[in-house]
Amino acid sequence: GEDVEQSLFLSVREGDSSVINCTYTDSSSTYLYWYKQEPGAGLQLLTYIFSNMDMKQDQRLTVLLNKKDKHLSLRIADTQTGDSAIYFCAEISTDSWGKLQFGAGTQVVVTP
Amino acid sequence: EPEVTQTPSHQVTQMGQEVILRCVPISNHLYFYWYRQILGQKVEFLVSFYNNEISEKSEIFDDQFSVERPDGSNFTLKIRSTKLEDSAMYFCASRTSSGSGNTQYFGPGTRLTVL
């Protein structure tokens, strides 16, 4: 079945760039998403990319998609302490009614 | 900005009891979803709902679970006879019919604790 994998932990210094990586197996993915979850809170959509694109930039966020390798990344420029959270990669495939398949999440810790 | 709301934020129940988790999706949205996240695990899809019927469900969504849209605003998840392993955070989500990347907007979640 479909699977989405992420590294579990990332530590980054304040002001540096963070890069969170994700791989997926579903070749019929249409949209791929990044969600952010702060402690005790819900899932906040950060950005998404359509599968026919290879890059999308949104302020401090840059999403790169390598469809051939089924690899997605999220780069956060000038990482701030408020960026400390769990980041989830998720995908939707063409043959579903919008079922999101999530990765396990990457915990990002920003140190001063 | 419109948002998905969920009540209660925390529900504690005894094993075998019925619980109803409530959600108010964003008002012009047409597709509705429930997900759950067991502590420390992935967010898992439970069910999707469109046009007053279930459009897709996962293996987790067995006969103990049901969903309903009793009026024009609420969307509920009922668990008939709760088990210890139903303890999790339950998220409701909704989206419009098209556009914006089919983005689903999530509520803050209901933490269900089964004792």
Side-chain angles (χ1 to χ4, degrees):
Chain A
E2 307 94 357
D3 200 14
V4 179
E5 297 288 339
Q6 297 178 241
S7 51
L8 293 182
F9 185 79
L10 176 69
S11 179
V12 62
R13 283 183 185 268
E14 193 174 10
D16 288 351
S17 292
S18 313
V19 179
I20 308 166
N21 294 299
C22 170
T23 56
Y24 61 97
T25 57
D26 186 359
S27 56
S28 61
S29 291
T30 52
Y31 289 98
L32 296 116
Y33 304 83
W34 286 102
Y35 283 87
K36 176 183 179 184
Q37 185 180 37
E38 296 183 60
L43 296 163
Q44 175 197 352
L45 175 75
L46 288 178
T47 188
Y48 67 91
I49 188 166
F50 188 47
S51 58
N52 69 353
M53 298 169 66
D54 50 24
M55 186 180 98
K56 181 178 180 182
Q57 186 144 5
D58 185 359
Q59 300 182 336
R60 291 192 297 125
L61 305 178
T62 303
V63 179
L64 296 178
L65 175 60
N66 181 327
K67 197 171 180 184
K68 175 176 161 288
D69 294 339
K70 299 192 182 71
H71 182 267
L72 181 75
S73 68
L74 174 70
R75 178 176 179 270
I76 306 172
D78 186 27
T79 313
Q80 303 297 307
T81 54
D83 295 324
S84 292
I86 300 176
Y87 291 79
F88 291 94
C89 165
E91 60 94 16
I92 280 179
S93 66
T94 52
D95 57 357
S96 87
W97 281 82
K99 174 180 81 174
L100 279 169
Q101 187 80 24
F102 283 87
T106 299
Q107 172 134 28
V108 173
V109 174
V110 182
T111 57
Chain B
E1 187 176 320
E3 58 184 19
V4 177
T5 59
Q6 290 185 244
T7 53
S9 56
H10 191 189
Q11 172 94 45
V12 181
T13 190
Q14 295 289 327
M15 192 169 58
Q17 295 296 304
E18 174 184 287
V19 294
I20 298 176
L21 309 183
R22 300 180 194 282
C23 169
V24 179
I26 294 173
S27 63
N28 64 339
H29 285 188
L30 299 177
Y31 293 81
F32 313 109
Y33 304 85
W34 284 100
Y35 294 81
R36 79 172 185 191
Q37 185 182 29
I38 294 172
L39 190 64
Q41 296 188 23
K42 285 188 181 188
V43 177
E44 302 171 289
F45 167 80
L46 291 178
V47 66
S48 60
F49 191 85
Y50 171 72
N51 200 26
N52 281 320
E53 59 183 28
I54 291 173
S55 45
E56 190 175 7
K57 60 183 181 179
S58 71
E59 291 173 359
I60 303 165
F61 195 88
D62 61 21
D63 292 344
Q64 293 298 313
F65 291 87
S66 62
V67 289
E68 197 177 30
R69 188 154 162 82
D71 52 42
S73 59
N74 290 283
F75 179 51
T76 62
L77 174 69
K78 183 194 290 187
I79 309 174
R80 284 189 189 81
S81 177
T82 48
K83 307 186 197 66
L84 295 176
E85 54 265 36
D86 294 327
S87 294
M89 183 75 98
Y90 287 80
F91 293 107
C92 172
S94 69
R95 69 172 176 97
T96 59
S97 59
S98 63
S100 300
N102 290 339
T103 299
Q104 292 176 33
Y105 294 88
F106 282 76
T110 293
R111 181 167 297 285
L112 176 66
T113 302
V114 182
L115 302 175

